[in-house]
Amino acid sequence: MLKAIRLLKKAKLFSVKGIFYLLKALFKRGVNLMAILRLGAWLYPERLALVHEKDSFTYLQLYHLVKNLAIRLKENHQIEKGNKIAIVCANHPAFISSLFAAAYLGTDVYLLNSEMGTAQLTRQVKQHQFDFIIYDASFLPLILEMGYENRSLAADGEGESTVSRYLKDAAHLRSGKKLKRSSFNRVVILTSGTTGLYKSAARKASVSAYTGLFLSLLDRLKFENYQSVYVATPIAHGFGLAALCFSYLMGKDVYIRTGFDHKAACALIREEQIESVTLVPVMLRRMLEEHKEALQSLKCIISGGAVLSPVLAGDAMLNLGNKLYNLYGTSEAGVCLLAGPEDLKKYPGTIGKPLDGVSLQIREGQLWLKCAWSAEKDQWISTGDMGYQDGAGYYYLLGRSDDMIVSGGENVYPYELELLLMQHPLIKEVLVTGVEDETFGQRLAAFVVLHDREQLTKEEILSWLSGKAARYQMPKHLVFTEAIPLTPMGKPDRKVARLWLDQEVRD
């Protein structure tokens, strides 16, 4: 209890003013995302809640914009408590405003991947029967095709009725209208998109469930020491949404960009002197290669959403100092493990140890988690990730269970070959996947990106691997490529890589 009070004091929430406004926000707005924004408007009114390219909004401004947007959604589009609202948008102010406005109205909010294909989005609409869709303008033809023209709203684009236009109008207006208090709306995040079949991970807002997570992260990340945060990951994914909400609870200056470009990201961090960033490993790698000097203002780098290789962790610490954290979680289970800078120095590649309140088991090589803030609330959840625990109690990932192949009777993990290849001084990036093989059932195929102006042959790589890799780890195919294919989240896309390989074999 004393530790919790000390941490809340650091977050400026354990004070007469902090507790008063927290309780007032929950009473006035209910237990939903909007309570976070209302609290921020009271505690940090002039801090920057959102900076996106040329636009910036304080906490007080964003709260009033979202409140007015919610009123427009209710009056103009008849959105009511309990409706299913789908949002399919990239990172921008209209998306974030729509998310909080929909929560304010007490709807169930479904966050859809803005890089979804036509078939995938159509499947989700048929499965969930959404009452309303808020979409980026590029989805308009599909919206019309699905018959949603009267049950949808563009986030941007031409016309009087778009989220962006509503926000511009709201900036000059102050509505005296009030909305009823709404509690316990759900936020539904779709996961496992790389297979082409999405699953839903739904959560209700819960103060009791998330308090332990908030305190544990606050203790381990020392987040009170940093004011500016760049959320580089898509907010429609669990990692990005968690980073946004945690930052808002702490009253941070939050920066976002539409899409990720490593050159633009480096420029943003340098120009704004950003102190902390949330990203996936490939983003970190590409920024380090682009302009590591531009990243010197960073004091806290939180990597998550994909496996952090020991080589990349070492490069980051060598060039930027002991500022790197490796966060592990899933859309279903939430944030669950964390490795800090000292952990990564001693145990490169580890995902650390469970946060307070997390139970972890390894069953047949697969990680199972249980915590109060998971989608299943204190029920054991299979993560689908393979891993192990070392003698010091630290955990490590071996990749996804559906990535594992069986070659000649041996269980083979593509990630282990990736780790080996990344140790080669001329190799910059690697992706390994399984392919069918007539003799052994399955074997590995490796996609390799070389450092600029370097040359290497397939025979030289195989010779270098000889003696380092086991017989069943030796790749059947080696493909040189200029870039590894990525999912919208920034994870290596093995599905696309296999299509590349099929084309290479045919050619």
Side-chain angles (χ1 to χ4, degrees):
M1 178 60 75
L2 290 176
K3 182 179 180 181
I5 292 173
R6 176 177 57 81
L7 291 170
L8 287 171
K9 281 183 177 179
K10 287 184 177 181
K12 296 187 177 180
L13 293 177
F14 193 85
S15 63
V16 173
K17 182 179 179 181
I19 293 175
F20 172 75
Y21 281 134
L22 177 59
L23 294 175
K24 188 177 179 181
L26 295 173
F27 176 75
K28 281 185 169 288
R29 299 294 162 246
V31 183
N32 66 36
L33 287 178
M34 191 60 175
I36 297 176
L37 203 54
R38 173 71 274 192
L39 180 65
W42 277 325
L43 290 179
Y44 330 105
E46 300 306 316
R47 292 185 185 175
L48 292 172
L50 188 59
V51 181
H52 174 263
E53 297 171 11
K54 295 181 180 179
D55 296 317
S56 63
F57 309 91
T58 67
Y59 278 84
L60 186 59
Q61 288 172 333
L62 185 59
Y63 170 74
H64 284 299
L65 289 176
V66 169
K67 181 181 175 183
N68 280 279
L69 175 60
I71 292 171
R72 297 292 289 271
L73 291 176
K74 182 178 177 64
E75 293 182 344
N76 295 7
H77 303 279
Q78 293 73 54
I79 294 178
E80 301 286 346
K81 182 176 180 178
N83 285 168
K84 294 181 180 179
I85 309 300
I87 303 178
V88 52
C89 295
N91 287 6
H92 50 61
F95 167 40
I96 293 177
S97 301
S98 298
L99 167 62
F100 281 91
Y104 190 9
L105 292 170
T107 70
D108 289 344
V109 187
Y110 289 71
L111 301 182
L112 308 186
N113 189 336
S114 63
E115 298 293 329
M116 268 187 179
T118 299
Q120 293 169 325
L121 182 56
T122 303
R123 189 183 302 119
Q124 291 304 313
V125 171
K126 288 181 178 179
Q127 178 182 344
H128 297 288
Q129 294 295 302
F130 301 121
D131 297 298
F132 198 81
I133 301 176
I134 297 174
Y135 61 93
D136 278 343
S138 59
F139 285 95
L140 177 58
L142 184 56
I143 294 295
L144 298 176
E145 182 182 325
M146 294 188 298
Y148 266 80
E149 59 267 30
N150 296 320
R151 293 182 291 156
S152 61
L153 179 65
D156 50 16
E158 301 297 327
E160 294 296 315
S161 294
T162 67
V163 175
S164 295
R165 183 54 187 259
Y166 287 166
L167 293 176
K168 288 180 181 178
D169 292 345
H172 306 292
L173 299 172
R174 281 292 183 269
S175 173
K177 297 180 181 180
K178 294 184 178 180
L179 295 173
K180 290 183 180 180
R181 178 180 184 272
S182 296
S183 288
F184 302 113
N185 67 297
R186 296 192 308 163
V187 176
V188 183
I189 296 171
L190 299 183
T191 182
S192 297
T194 55
T195 64
L197 297 174
Y198 286 75
K199 298 183 296 181
S200 299
R203 283 183 180 75
K204 284 187 176 182
S206 170
V207 175
S208 59
Y210 287 99
T211 299
L213 173 61
F214 174 73
L215 292 175
S216 189
L217 286 175
L218 185 60
D219 183 38
R220 302 274 290 274
L221 291 171
K222 313 300 181 189
F223 215 54
E224 72 277 4
N225 296 328
Y226 325 116
Q227 182 52 38
S228 51
V229 182
Y230 170 32
V231 181
T233 48
I235 294 165
H237 293 262
F239 183 28
L241 180 61
L244 180 74
C245 292
F246 188 69
S247 298
Y248 277 2
L249 271 172
M250 297 287 291
K252 302 303 179 184
D253 299 336
V254 177
Y255 293 75
I256 63 170
R257 286 188 57 83
T258 300
F260 178 78
D261 176 82
H262 57 283
K263 294 182 179 180
C266 287
L268 173 65
I269 292 170
R270 182 186 68 249
E271 291 167 8
E272 301 295 338
Q273 290 294 286
I274 303 291
E275 294 179 295
S276 54
V277 61
T278 62
L279 39 63
V280 295
V282 70
M283 293 177 178
L284 177 58
R285 181 188 306 283
R286 292 182 180 180
M287 286 196 295
L288 281 171
E289 291 169 350
E290 172 63 28
H291 197 346
K292 57 179 177 288
E293 291 77 14
L295 309 179
Q296 297 305 314
S297 64
L298 292 172
K299 299 176 182 177
C300 177
I301 304 167
I302 305 172
S303 174
V307 177
L308 175 69
S309 73
V311 173
L312 177 56
D315 287 346
M317 289 188 287
L318 177 65
N319 289 288
L320 302 176
N322 296 332
K323 306 171 182 178
L324 181 63
Y325 294 82
N326 191 16
L327 191 67
Y328 173 78
T330 70
S331 295
E332 297 91 345
V335 176
C336 292
L337 288 89
L338 180 69
E342 294 303 317
D343 300 325
L344 292 170
K345 280 176 64 178
K346 292 181 181 178
Y347 309 100
T350 182
I351 55 174
K353 295 182 178 181
L355 296 169
D356 294 340
V358 175
S359 299
L360 189 155
Q361 292 181 357
I362 297 180
R363 304 179 186 176
E364 298 180 348
Q366 190 173 146
L367 301 183
W368 287 69
L369 296 165
K370 181 172 72 171
C371 60
W373 53 85
S374 76
E376 301 297 330
K377 264 202 170 183
D378 287 319
Q379 300 294 315
W380 286 104
I381 293 176
S382 170
T383 66
D385 289 319
M386 307 299 290
Y388 66 94
Q389 183 184 29
D390 68 11
Y394 287 86
Y395 289 88
Y396 300 79
L397 295 179
L398 291 171
R400 299 287 297 169
S401 57
D402 48 12
D403 289 338
M404 186 193 79
I405 67 169
V406 179
S407 183
E410 298 283 352
N411 291 344
V412 184
Y413 301 97
Y415 180 59
E416 292 183 323
L417 180 58
E418 289 179 358
L419 288 179
L420 278 175
L421 287 169
M422 282 303 298
Q423 295 175 25
H424 194 291
L426 302 187
I427 292 177
K428 181 167 72 172
E429 292 183 4
V430 176
L431 172 60
V432 177
T433 188
V435 294
E436 298 301 317
D437 183 78
E438 292 182 2
T439 304
F440 296 99
Q442 291 175 298
R443 287 186 65 187
L444 298 178
F447 296 80
V448 175
V449 180
L450 299 179
H451 284 290
D452 293 342
R453 295 181 294 277
E454 299 292 355
Q455 292 184 341
L456 202 59
T457 66
K458 296 179 182 180
E459 291 73 21
E460 287 171 331
I461 292 178
L462 292 174
S463 176
W464 182 85
L465 279 174
S466 180
K468 296 181 177 67
R471 171 194 54 79
Y472 50 80
Q473 290 178 318
M474 295 296 285
K476 177 180 182 179
H477 300 286
L478 268 170
V479 180
F480 291 105
T481 180
E482 293 184 358
I484 297 298
L486 302 176
T487 68
M489 179 62 183
K491 299 180 181 181
D493 195 329
R494 288 180 168 78
K495 182 180 178 182
V496 170
R498 284 190 285 270
L499 293 176
W500 286 4
L501 181 61
D502 290 343
Q503 183 65 44
E504 172 111 348
V505 171
R506 284 196 297 271
D507 293 345

